[in-house]
C-alpha cells in the first residue's frame, strides 16, 4: 500500500485521554495519524509510541487550535505529506469550572475559545480540503452536559451545546460534497479531566449513570471509529451519546 492509498486521520488533543484512545483506535498499516497538543505536552511521545507499536504511523505537533494561522500551517503540512485529509476529529477541550455568579470572564472565554472556536477553525480549514476531495468525515467530541447542562459548568456546557449546533449546520452544508459531520457526546469517562474531580463530585456523577460505572476512553474511541468507517456512510448530523444512560 502506497502512502497515497492510506487514510489520513487528524485528531486534535491527541496526546492523552480520549484523544489518545481515538488515535490508537485508528492505528494500523492503512492509516497515517496526525494529532496536535497545546501547550507542549511530554505525553505526546507516549501516544506516538503506542500508535507505532500498533503498526501505525503518527506525528504529533504543538498547535494552538484557536489560531487559524497555526491550524492552516498544520493542515498544509499534513496535505503536503499525504495529499489529503480523510478524517478530522475535533477532540481538543478544556474545563474551567465554577458557579456562574463567580465565573470570571477569562474562564468563560478560555473554554469557549478552545472547545468551540477551535473546532470551528479546524472544521473550516479541513472542510476546504475535503470539499476538493468530495469526501471526508468530521467528528466532533461534544458532551452529555451540552444537552443536559451541569451546575458549575456554564462555560463548558455552553461550548459543548454550541458544538452540537455547529455539527448539525455543517452537516447540512457539506453533505452535497460527500462529507459527513457527526458528534459524540461522552458522559462520565475516566480521564485526566475527571480524575481532577473531588470524590464527592465523582460519586454525584456516577449516581446519574444507570449502568453504574464510569466509561473508558476506548468506549468513546470505538464510536468515533465507527462514524469514520464505511459502515456509517449514511449517517450525518447526528449526536451519539456514550454515557452509560446518563441521557435517556
Amino acid at each position: 500500500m502506497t502512502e497515497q492509498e492510506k487514510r489520513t486521520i487528524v485528531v486534535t488533543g491527541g496526546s492523552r485521554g480520549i484523544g489518545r484512545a481515538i488515535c490508537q483506535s485508528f492505528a494500523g498499516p492503512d492509516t497515517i495519524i496526525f494529532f496536535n497538543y497545546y501547550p507542549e505536552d511530554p505525553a505526546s511521545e507516549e501516544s506516538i509510541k503506542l500508535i507505532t507499536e500498533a503498526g501505525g504511523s503518527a506525528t504529533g505537533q504543538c498547535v494552538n487550535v484557536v489560531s487559524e494561522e497555526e491550524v492552516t500551517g498544520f493542515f498544509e503540512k499534513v496535505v503536503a505529506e499525504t495529499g489529503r485529509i480523510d478524517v478530522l476529529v475535533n477532540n481538543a477541550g478544556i474545563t474551567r469550572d465554577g458557579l456562574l455568579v463567580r465565573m470570571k470572564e477569562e474562564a468563560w472565554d478560555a473554554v469557549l475559545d478552545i472547545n468551540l472556536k477551535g473546532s470551528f477553525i479546524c472544521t473550516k480549514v479541513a472542510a476546504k480540503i475535503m470539499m476538493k476531495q468530495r469526501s471526508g468525515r468530521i467528528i466532533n467530541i461534544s458532551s452529555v452536559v451540552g444537552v443536559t447542562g451541569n451546575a458549575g459548568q456554564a462555560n463548558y456546557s455552553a461550548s459543548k451545546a454550541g458544538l452540537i449546533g455547529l455539527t448539525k449546520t455543517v452537516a447540512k452544508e457539506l453533505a452535497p460534497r460527500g462529507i459527513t459531520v457527526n458528534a459524540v457526546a461522552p458522559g462520565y469517562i475516566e480521564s485526566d479531566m475527571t480524575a481532577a474531580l473531588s470524590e464527592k463530585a465523582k460519586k454525584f456523577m456516577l449516581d446519574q449513570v444507570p449502568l453504574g460505572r464510569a466509561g473508558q476512553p476506548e468506549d468513546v474511541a470505538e464510536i468515533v471509529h465507527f462514524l469514520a468507517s464505511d459502515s456509517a456512510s449514511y449517517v450525518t448530523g447526528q449526536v451519539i451519546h456514550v454515557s452509560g444512560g446518563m441521557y435517556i
Side-chain angles (χ1 to χ4, degrees), residues 144 187-188 203-215 242-248:
V144 66
Y188 179 37
K203 183 179 184 305
F204 175 77
M205 294 290 285
L206 280 174
D207 286 345
Q208 299 179 64
V209 182
L211 284 180
R213 64 175 178 84
V242 186
S243 62
M246 285 181 74
Y247 178 71
I248 295 177

Side-chain angles (χ1 to χ4, degrees), residues 3-225:
E3 293 295 292
Q4 287 70 31
E5 293 174 319
K6 296 180 180 181
R7 292 186 88 198
T8 301
I9 318 293
V10 177
V11 180
T12 68
S15 62
R16 59 180 69 226
I18 291 174
R20 174 184 286 177
I22 291 170
C23 289
Q24 287 181 266
S25 76
F26 283 110
D30 60 343
T31 59
I32 303 175
I33 300 167
F34 293 82
F35 66 89
N36 90 298
Y37 47 87
Y38 188 84
E40 290 287 351
D41 187 357
S44 63
E45 293 301 320
E46 179 66 15
S47 291
I48 292 172
K49 178 174 177 287
L50 291 169
I51 294 166
T52 303
E53 288 175 350
S57 169
T59 300
Q61 185 171 325
C62 183
V63 178
N64 183 1
V65 294
V66 180
S67 167
E68 187 165 349
E69 181 179 358
E70 289 190 31
V71 170
T72 299
F74 178 45
F75 283 24
E76 286 177 347
K77 173 185 176 182
V78 173
V79 173
E81 292 188 23
T82 69
R84 58 191 300 108
I85 294 177
D86 296 291
V87 180
L88 167 66
V89 183
N90 286 309
N91 167 74
I94 63 170
T95 58
R96 296 288 186 273
D97 295 349
L99 293 175
L100 174 68
V101 294
R102 298 175 184 169
M103 185 174 291
K104 295 186 181 299
E105 189 174 343
E106 292 82 358
W108 175 272
D109 289 344
V111 172
L112 269 291
D113 274 355
I114 297 293
N115 298 7
L116 186 55
K117 183 179 178 181
S119 296
F120 155 71
I121 290 173
C122 290
T123 299
K124 177 183 174 183
V125 177
K128 293 177 181 178
I129 297 165
M130 293 178 176
M131 287 171 72
K132 292 179 181 178
Q133 300 168 178
R134 300 192 71 85
S135 68
R137 303 292 171 85
I138 299 172
I139 302 152
N140 297 319
I141 305 303
S142 181
S143 170
V144 66
V145 304
V147 179
T148 65
N150 192 38
Q153 290 193 309
N155 49 2
Y156 187 75
S157 297
S159 71
K160 295 302 186 178
L163 196 52
I164 290 172
L166 178 68
T167 298
K168 292 180 178 291
T169 298
V170 178
K172 290 182 177 181
E173 292 183 2
L174 298 184
R177 296 297 185 99
I179 302 164
T180 66
V181 187
N182 292 286
V184 177
Y188 179 37
I189 306 295
E190 289 187 350
S191 65
D192 290 349
M193 190 177 289
T194 56
L197 296 172
S198 67
E199 291 304 314
K200 181 179 179 181
K202 290 178 184 177
K203 183 179 184 305
F204 175 77
M205 294 290 285
L206 280 174
D207 286 345
Q208 299 179 64
V209 182
L211 284 180
R213 64 175 178 84
Q216 299 299 316
E218 291 74 19
D219 294 320
V220 180
E222 287 296 327
I223 299 300
V224 171
H225 194 270

